[in-house]
Amino acid sequence: METGIKIIEGSCKGCVNCIKSCPTEALRVVDGKVRILSDLCIDCGECLRSCREKALALDEDDWDLIRSHGPATLMADPTFCAQFSHYWTPGLVRKALASLGIKDLFDETARAFDLAAFATARQIEEASKESLPLISIYCPAVVRLIQVRFPELLHRLVETETPLETGTLLWRKETGSDEGVILVTPCSAKVMLVRGPVGREKSTMGHVVSVKRLARDLLAAGPKVDGAALDPVGSRWLAWALRGGESRHIKAFSKKNITTMAVSGLRNTIDLLQDLELGRLKGVDFVECRVCDLGCIGGIGNAESRFLSELRLSRQPIEWVATEREKADLADLYETGIWKLEQPIQPRPRPSLADTLDEAMKKLKTMQAVYAELPHIDCGACGRPSCRALAEDVVRGEGEITDCVFKLRERISVLGEEITALSGKLPHAFHERKHAK
Amino acid sequence: MDSHYEVEFTVRGDDFLAAGEASNQIKETLIMLGVPSAISRRASVITYEAEMNLVIHSGGGTLRAVITPEKLTIQATDRGPGIPDLHLAMREGFSTAPDRVREMGFGAGMGLPNIKRNSDNLEIESEVGKGTTLTATILFHEGPGDRR
Ligand SMILES: Nc1ncnc2c1ncn2[C@@H]1O[C@H](COP(=O)(O)OP(=O)(O)O)[C@@H](O)[C@H]1O
Ligand code: SF4
Ligand code: SF4
Ligand SMILES: [Mg+2]
């Protein structure tokens, strides 16, 4: 299985700083280098934040190489439009990009986000009371987290495809173009929308580049654009860059009053999903979770400070009421079903210890026995995030108990005593000579 | 060797910070053993509610899970005040939780009914002044999971 994270081996010092940052304990340090257990990785990007050596990075494509192949078409994440102080509306960003010969799909994006909100509003209205709240699929890290840790909640995920994909599909359908489209991502999680999407066979976007990388080019070129003539690009979609934006959008398109809940940050997301799992969110219709602080503007692949992005977004004039023309367009698009996920999202539980319950029980007992021998201080020196993780690796055949420095020292000291004892023993021949003296 | 696996946790009374830890660990155990998610979900509800009752009503006790190839048994034992009227306690919405507990969002009186709904068999033995033992069972081969 793939992840949205790249390891730069040459930079990794094996310091083990990163391994405890991972919420699913997916990191190991083996032979002095970091490894990702892709079964467990949810692409949240926490480890990227924790590595001082920059040995972990977004697994993005080479933008310079893409550029060298000619004109580029971008499917930009909403956060992209919150990166610049000069180009502070989509219309201005469009002009700046155009001056570098780069094409945007903002119009299709705006329609796709409208469509996603519209389709989700319909699903909430049609859902039975017990199946509420529904959960947003917009943050791919949340979807993976649910697949890995909360499979019981999968049936609550909305069936709406991410509007970034739908926008590209819309553009292809209407232009007939099969040109490559580049996703501009704010995070490692959205890298996977291109590399290994969930809920569909294959993405129609061919490449993925970080917001940071593109923003840097745009800032370096610094094209002057005329602020007076603003393109009339819709702006509701921009709100999705901030926590609560999606919920606000869905509410704007709902026929009845709905109750939504929006949280951001990994810790909050896990807590909320736990509450939901235990059936403690009665009366809530829709739940929006983002693993990054403040929402996608807090994604690790952005250039701008999330606080400045937030400020800028909060100043965007957003028209929440759709025009009659937009409404008619949405109703038509909704009927086509273009907004739907292709496939149901499947659970992705961590593999059990063994194939049969019987075998697994035996291994679990061994694991407890191994664990009991360890010092329980979770020091990380073995390259595992916890003593428990080492015990598990040992029974899975992926480690040795002597990977623990304390166990190693114990063995060495036992060995040392044996050596001392042995060295005290003289060959029989010497004994006899002693007596002879 | 008779094939079974057992975990036991001590749950402290009124310790709302640690509440939920025992049930979390039982869930982890079930996942490691490869128990299907439909079953571990039902188990989560039972263990969590039973653990909360130990915390809120009993002054503390033990939570135990026993797994065999046939079934999962969850047992909560305490030497607390006991339940005077079991029939009443099983009713949806019935709760004797004090206000201070309700303010924390607990005590909706849905715990025992939810435990009942998610188990294949439920037995509660309780004696006033002596304590309570709750034993809930989930069968592994009782047709496809969700009984809600
Ligand atoms: N272990 C216990 N010891 C004493 N009383 C209990 C215990 N478990 C439940 N009860 C009683 O049964 C009632 C209903 O329990 P439950 O359905 O879990 O609702 P809640 O915990 O929200 O009050 C409790 O309010 C309490 O009076
Ligand atoms: S934090 Fe992790 S990835 Fe970074 S240098 Fe240390 S071990 Fe390597
Ligand atoms: S919150 Fe947004 S930026 Fe962060 S991981 Fe999720 S989708 Fe990516
Ligand atoms: Mg209760």
Side-chain angles (χ1 to χ4, degrees):
Chain A
M1 223 172 291
E2 261 191 287
T3 74
I5 295 160
K6 179 166 61 186
I7 297 171
I8 300 146
E9 285 228 340
S11 303
C12 178
K13 298 232 176 348
C15 68
V16 306
N17 272 340
C18 54
I19 59 175
K20 288 201 190 179
S21 70
C22 179
T24 58
E25 298 202 330
L27 294 175
R28 300 288 183 274
V29 173
V30 183
D31 294 333
K33 298 289 172 193
V34 69
R35 295 264 173 288
I36 301 173
L37 305 182
S38 59
D39 276 337
L40 297 178
C41 176
I42 60 166
D43 303 300
C44 67
E46 284 302 309
C47 53
L48 276 68
R49 295 179 219 273
S50 73
C51 177
R52 278 187 240 120
E53 309 296 330
K54 303 220 184 310
L56 294 158
L58 291 199
D59 193 8
E60 60 183 304
D61 291 306
D62 184 343
W63 171 238
D64 293 326
L65 191 68
I66 296 171
R67 281 288 270 165
S68 70
H69 287 307
T73 305
L74 302 184
M75 170 46 70
D77 189 86
T79 64
F80 188 63
C81 293
Q83 305 292 306
F84 315 98
S85 54
H86 294 355
Y87 323 126
W88 56 281
T89 68
L92 294 169
V93 177
R94 161 174 289 170
K95 284 191 176 178
L97 286 171
S99 75
L100 303 186
I102 302 169
K103 189 171 139 60
D104 67 76
L105 299 180
F106 289 164
D107 300 301
E108 291 78 5
T109 314
R111 284 169 74 206
F113 276 76
D114 270 352
L115 181 56
F118 185 87
T120 301
R122 298 294 83 77
Q123 288 167 64
I124 296 170
E125 283 158 11
E126 285 159 19
S128 66
K129 216 175 156 215
E130 312 81 70
S131 53
L132 293 172
L134 300 184
I135 308 174
S136 164
I137 54 90
Y138 188 64
C139 174
V142 172
V143 174
R144 297 232 165 208
L145 180 65
I146 293 176
Q147 287 181 291
V148 174
R149 287 245 324 242
F150 300 94
E152 305 82 1
L153 297 178
L154 279 172
H155 68 283
R156 295 186 183 273
L157 289 172
V158 294
E159 288 167 22
T160 318
E161 174 60 280
T162 175
L164 297 164
E165 186 72 47
T166 308
T168 312
L169 284 169
L170 265 177
W171 176 71
R172 292 203 186 285
K173 207 172 120 200
E174 286 170 6
T175 60
S177 171
D178 59 0
E179 236 176 85
V181 168
I182 302 145
L183 175 68
V184 185
T185 179
C187 59
S188 41
K190 282 178 180 156
V191 166
M192 293 306 284
L193 293 180
V194 176
R195 293 280 162 75
V198 169
R200 71 184 302 115
E201 200 59 50
K202 202 171 176 298
S203 172
T204 62
M205 299 177 280
H207 293 284
V208 54
V209 174
S210 68
V211 165
K212 194 188 268 173
R213 183 68 194 79
L214 256 137
R216 215 198 297 148
D217 259 23
L218 203 59
L219 287 169
K224 289 261 178 303
V225 298
D226 175 10
L230 299 183
D231 276 46
V233 180
S235 54
R236 288 183 287 269
W237 62 289
L238 293 186
W240 292 49
L242 256 179
R243 182 191 87 179
E246 179 185 11
S247 300
R248 179 75 185 76
H249 203 164
I250 293 169
K251 276 187 175 169
F253 286 1
S254 289
K255 292 188 190 116
K256 53 180 187 188
N257 228 337
I258 61 167
T259 306
T260 62
M261 203 175 254
V263 302
S264 61
L266 198 54
R267 177 76 202 281
N268 290 339
T269 296
I270 292 175
D271 283 356
L272 186 74
L273 293 177
Q274 237 147 33
D275 281 349
L276 188 49
E277 181 176 46
L278 295 167
R280 293 172 65 190
L281 294 187
K282 300 251 154 48
V284 179
D285 300 313
F286 182 72
V287 165
E288 171 189 328
C289 298
R290 304 286 187 259
V291 301
C292 295
D293 188 25
L294 297 181
C296 293
I297 50 172
I300 186 80
N302 290 303
E304 182 63 291
S305 134
R306 58 188 181 281
F307 309 113
L308 288 177
S309 295
E310 184 188 28
L311 190 65
R312 217 164 276 147
L313 283 169
S314 68
R315 288 182 179 156
Q316 284 275 347
I318 295 182
E319 176 53 65
W320 286 106
V321 184
T323 64
E324 289 309 315
R325 242 185 74 206
E326 284 170 335
K327 280 186 195 156
D329 177 45
L330 279 176
D332 288 347
L333 285 175
Y334 179 69
E335 287 308 317
T336 67
I338 194 172
W339 51 270
K340 255 196 194 142
L341 283 176
E342 270 178 2
Q343 310 163 347
I345 298 178
Q346 302 292 343
R348 220 183 72 180
R350 174 165 37 145
S352 57
L353 291 176
D355 292 338
T356 66
L357 186 61
D358 222 37
E359 270 304 303
M361 288 198 286
K362 277 185 201 144
K363 286 208 172 159
L364 195 52
K365 282 175 193 166
T366 315
M367 183 179 139
Q368 301 300 359
V370 172
Y371 178 69
E373 276 194 54
L374 296 172
H376 304 178
I377 55 169
D378 299 343
C379 70
C382 60
R384 275 77 175 186
S386 62
C387 298
R388 206 209 50 79
L390 174 59
E392 184 177 340
D393 282 4
V394 170
V395 296
R396 286 185 191 272
E398 285 150 16
E400 306 283 336
I401 192 159
T402 46
D403 288 353
C404 169
V405 285
F406 298 92
K407 294 314 282 182
L408 184 67
R409 204 169 64 175
E410 252 175 59
R411 295 271 165 103
I412 290 176
S413 86
V414 170
L415 201 64
E417 278 161 24
E418 278 174 22
I419 290 174
T420 318
L422 282 175
S423 67
K425 284 193 180 167
L426 292 170
H428 288 289
F430 288 130
H431 283 284
E432 278 171 22
R433 238 191 267 162
K434 263 189 194 163
H435 290 301
K437 243 181 171 183
Chain B
M1 191 183 78
D2 105 86
S3 167
H4 94 300
Y5 192 84
E6 198 177 316
V7 277
E8 187 175 302
F9 300 91
T10 303
V11 178
R12 282 201 303 263
D14 285 314
D15 187 349
F16 288 89
L17 277 180
E21 257 166 36
S23 10
N24 245 335
Q25 293 206 33
I26 293 175
K27 178 183 168 190
E28 291 286 311
T29 303
L30 296 179
I31 292 173
M32 295 273 240
L33 292 175
V35 170
S37 70
I39 287 181
S40 72
R41 181 169 140 248
R42 287 163 58 197
S44 289
V45 176
I46 298 173
T47 51
Y48 178 76
E49 293 295 354
E51 183 177 0
M52 287 318 299
N53 282 354
L54 290 178
V55 174
I56 302 171
H57 307 292
S58 81
T62 56
L63 188 66
R64 217 158 67 95
V66 183
I67 302 137
T68 70
E70 292 79 39
K71 62 180 192 233
L72 164 67
T73 310
I74 296 156
Q75 195 164 64
T77 314
D78 66 66
R79 290 166 187 276
I83 305 173
D85 184 343
L86 252 178
H87 193 68
L88 192 59
M90 291 302 299
R91 214 185 275 168
E92 293 200 358
F94 176 82
S95 174
T96 59
D99 285 347
R100 122 196 108 77
V101 169
R102 282 170 202 258
E103 274 159 22
M104 288 188 274
F106 304 104
M110 291 303 294
L112 292 177
N114 272 336
I115 291 177
K116 173 97 185 139
R117 202 169 312 153
N118 285 284
S119 10
D120 289 317
N121 186 44
L122 174 65
E123 279 166 32
I124 301 176
E125 283 168 36
S126 190
E127 202 177 321
V128 174
K130 289 255 168 72
T132 304
T133 299
L134 173 152
T135 312
T137 319
I138 300 180
L139 303 174
F140 288 155
H141 307 290
E142 220 248 7
D146 201 344
R147 287 159 48 93
R148 292 233 289 175

